[in-house]
Amino acid sequence: MTLSRRRFIGAVGAGSTGLILPFAAGCDNAGHSDGAVQSGDVPLPARFSLPFKRPPVIQPTSSEGTTDYFDVRAFTTKAEILPGVQTEIFGYNGTFPGPTFSVRKGRTAVVRTRNDLPVPMVTHLHGGKTPAESDGYPTDYLLPTSGWTASAHTMHHAGMAMAGATAQGTRNYTYPNLQRASTLWYHDHRMDFTGPQVWRGLAGFYLVHDEEEDALPLPKGDRDVPVMIMDRAFNSDGSLAYPSIDPTLKTTPGVTGDAHNGMTGDVILVNGVPWPRFEVQGARYRLRLLNASNSRRYRVRLDPEPGSGDPFTLIGSDGGLLAQPQGMNSIYIVPGERFDVIVDFGRYAPGTKITMTNSLGDGSTAELMQFVVGAKAGDDTSVPARLSTLERLDPAKAVRTRSFTLARNSESGHYVYKINGYPFSTDRSWADIKRGDIEIWEFSSTTHHPIHLHLSPFQVYKRGGSTTLEPEDVGWKDTARLAPNQKLSVLVRFSDYTGKYVFHCHNLEHEDMAMMANFTVT
């Protein structure tokens, strides 16, 4: 991709809007509005008036050999997201977002999780190469310590079994961390209720580090910054606005109105802070960008750009470092995706205010945060021409090609989002795969869907039948953009664990309405 083409793509994106066009939230056609919700008369802060915050880093409770033990408790609490206003959240350890895990390759993390919420939960390590029993299969419920009546929960698809590896009160999730350094995240994955439970706060960063990355002269410490971007809406009393059919999240799943298209709000939060201001030194920073929104897509830009060169240097995607850095004028990021970028604030004069914008947004969603550049600082970092050695999967070695069509249907007065004509069922496996096999998976749809595979990372192979890819398609991925009427082909090698896993649309409202399917590795 040439620089001129990247700038052209960005210019096209600048003509889009986030709250008005169905394009922005992943709707099926132009006749459907998206699930945008405007905040009530609760006072919102002026943009860039609140300081940027980093989520707290959780420390192991204990360690034994090569295993670290962490204790996490999920419970309902109040958090000050808007100034002077208390908002009820679902919090991992009571924070919004949850604490950041900072782990090392080769050290197993055992996360001892206690559910003091009033509803079941399921934790999924997004991007993790995780044994099936700890992956967060959607019906592997961790039930509340206060008790639960399973019959209370009705399903989107009446024929689907409720059975799963249910635990009462507490569960240990084991993450071997036998994967390269990468920016992962964890979030709730409860069947039918992922959207509202993530919306209420059940998400956080999970950063894997290794010796290869440590040896590179990239920014570290305070200049290595996680940036979780999400949109939310608030009611007049400061509570989070989400149009659940059952606001208690105990019985009937689903949303009212057009929110089935994908829920979006008018308040942008970065690490849980609305439109924050980040005071930086005149030096290079590594920004770990995560789109943790339920359905909103972003095209991230910097305004103003530096006097010369690209504002972003892309060094990593979902699955870790790229082979070589890539200059970018903008970053298109769909829900669930991560991109690690270097921004050199030393190229700006002290005192410069730089806005991180969203050219797919409109009004309050067109700006994300602001950087205020301080004095020039000593900076011995650099971006090497070679970052890592990446194997490229060979399509000639693929043992088969599978095709999946994503579409929406109306049934019994509500929408169901299907894969190959079927809603999700715990009993149907769409792919039985021999461990170690390489396959080509093809996805198609008439509308936008972020495609996410559990367990096995993939490489984008073709778009629309062409091997000319988008600049964000580089490296190892676990989530990728499926554009309307454009076939997305990916190469996957299932070389890690055996068991039953899922793949699904990462528009969380689509996922909740059954746009998910099983695959089994043997």
Side-chain angles (χ1 to χ4, degrees):
M1 302 291 292
T2 64
L3 174 62
S4 59
R5 174 164 164 75
R6 289 195 194 108
R7 291 187 180 276
F8 172 75
I9 293 172
V12 171
S16 304
T17 61
L19 291 176
I20 300 174
L21 296 181
F23 165 84
C27 303
D28 282 350
N29 58 60
H32 294 277
S33 62
D34 62 25
V37 172
Q38 301 293 322
S39 296
D41 57 7
V42 60
L44 300 177
R47 290 173 215 172
F48 321 133
S49 61
L50 300 176
F52 178 86
K53 295 181 181 178
R54 302 171 192 247
V57 177
I58 188 171
Q59 300 300 319
T61 305
S62 62
S63 298
E64 181 179 339
T66 59
T67 301
D68 298 315
Y69 296 87
F70 299 85
D71 287 298
V72 169
R73 175 177 167 242
F75 59 97
T76 302
T77 187
K78 300 276 190 176
E80 186 174 308
I81 301 173
L82 303 177
V85 178
Q86 292 296 303
T87 298
E88 185 176 278
I89 65 165
F90 285 1
Y92 289 110
N93 284 0
T95 66
F96 185 102
T100 296
F101 287 78
S102 182
V103 302
R104 292 202 65 81
K105 179 181 179 179
R107 289 197 64 84
T108 299
V110 176
V111 182
R112 300 179 294 209
T113 305
R114 177 183 172 92
N115 180 12
D116 285 330
L117 297 168
V119 294
M121 61 180 289
V122 179
T123 300
H124 169 55
L125 178 56
H126 184 123
K129 296 184 178 183
T130 305
E133 58 270 19
S134 290
D135 183 63
Y137 189 80
T139 57
D140 284 354
Y141 299 121
L142 176 54
L143 301 181
T145 54
S146 58
W148 180 255
T149 302
S151 60
H153 177 175
T154 60
M155 312 297 285
H156 267 302
H157 179 47
M160 189 171 72
M162 286 286 291
T166 299
Q168 181 72 51
T170 61
R171 163 174 275 148
N172 289 354
Y173 291 95
T174 300
Y175 305 129
N177 298 325
L178 297 175
Q179 58 192 98
R180 60 205 300 263
S182 49
T183 300
L184 311 182
W185 65 304
Y186 63 97
H187 58 80
D188 185 74
H189 208 255
R190 177 190 168 197
M191 185 70 232
D192 290 335
F193 291 92
T194 295
Q197 296 194 179
V198 172
W199 187 268
R200 295 190 189 192
L202 293 180
F205 275 103
Y206 190 100
L207 309 180
V208 182
H209 304 278
D210 66 13
E211 293 182 357
E212 178 189 40
E213 184 184 70
D214 291 345
L216 297 175
L218 300 172
K220 297 177 175 65
D222 288 344
R223 296 180 191 167
D224 182 350
V225 185
V227 179
M228 179 185 289
I229 304 168
M230 61 178 73
D231 59 330
R232 295 291 186 268
F234 295 84
N235 296 311
S236 297
D237 63 357
S239 61
L240 287 162
Y242 189 93
S244 293
I245 292 174
D246 170 25
T248 71
L249 310 185
K250 291 182 177 181
T251 57
T252 306
V255 291
T256 61
D258 288 322
H260 63 86
N261 287 320
M263 182 61 183
T264 59
D266 63 342
V267 177
I268 298 295
L269 304 178
V270 177
N271 293 350
V273 179
W275 303 289
R277 179 191 70 257
F278 186 17
E279 297 185 2
V280 297
Q281 296 177 312
R284 292 184 189 87
Y285 281 70
R286 176 178 183 167
L287 306 180
R288 299 175 182 259
L289 304 178
L290 159 63
N291 182 351
S293 293
N294 280 32
S295 70
R296 184 180 294 280
R297 299 185 305 281
Y298 302 88
R299 182 174 286 282
V300 177
R301 307 177 69 96
L302 293 182
D303 181 22
E305 296 183 358
S308 61
D310 289 301
F312 300 112
T313 301
L314 181 65
I315 63 166
S317 58
D318 301 338
L321 292 171
L322 308 182
Q324 58 270 333
Q326 179 172 297
M328 300 282 282
N329 173 252
S330 64
I331 307 289
Y332 193 127
I333 181 168
V334 300
E337 270 189 309
R338 290 88 64 209
F339 292 104
D340 286 18
V341 299
I342 303 296
V343 176
D344 186 357
F345 294 106
R347 293 195 287 167
Y348 292 89
T352 303
K353 295 180 179 179
I354 307 162
T355 302
M356 180 179 283
T357 65
N358 168 32
S359 59
L360 299 182
D362 181 273
S364 63
T365 65
E367 296 177 320
L368 307 179
M369 63 179 295
Q370 184 181 82
F371 302 94
V372 180
V373 181
K376 300 283 185 182
D379 191 355
D380 58 358
T381 67
S382 62
V383 182
R386 171 65 57 178
L387 296 167
S388 183
T389 300
L390 266 64
E391 174 192 8
R392 186 67 193 173
L393 297 181
D394 183 356
K397 295 182 179 179
V399 299
R400 65 183 57 82
T401 298
R402 303 183 192 269
S403 297
F404 302 100
T405 300
L406 283 68
R408 184 186 75 177
N409 297 95
S410 179
E411 296 181 359
S412 303
H414 68 273
Y415 288 110
V416 178
Y417 287 74
K418 299 181 177 182
I419 296 178
N420 283 357
Y422 290 90
F424 177 67
S425 169
T426 55
D427 300 326
R428 180 186 296 110
S429 178
W430 280 103
D432 293 316
I433 305 153
K434 183 180 178 182
R435 182 178 176 183
D437 278 357
I438 296 174
E439 299 192 352
I440 297 172
W441 284 21
E442 298 178 341
F443 299 92
S444 59
S445 177
T446 59
T447 187
H448 287 274
H449 298 286
I451 298 297
H452 173 50
L453 272 65
H454 287 217
L455 177 64
S456 296
F458 58 79
Q459 294 174 352
V460 178
Y461 173 39
K462 290 182 179 180
R463 282 193 176 274
S466 171
T467 55
T468 300
L469 305 177
E470 299 292 344
E472 292 88 356
D473 289 333
V474 291
W476 286 102
K477 304 282 293 174
D478 57 60
T479 308
R481 178 195 344 164
L482 175 60
N485 305 309
Q486 180 192 69
K487 183 180 293 182
L488 170 70
S489 299
V490 303
L491 281 159
V492 196
R493 181 172 58 206
F494 299 89
S495 58
D496 296 297
Y497 299 99
T498 60
K500 184 167 68 172
Y501 294 85
V502 294
F503 64 97
H504 56 86
C505 174
H506 216 279
N507 178 320
L508 299 187
E509 283 66 45
H510 293 184
E511 175 187 343
D512 281 346
M513 284 178 282
M515 189 167 271
M516 181 161 53
N518 295 308
F519 65 92
T520 305
V521 182
T522 61

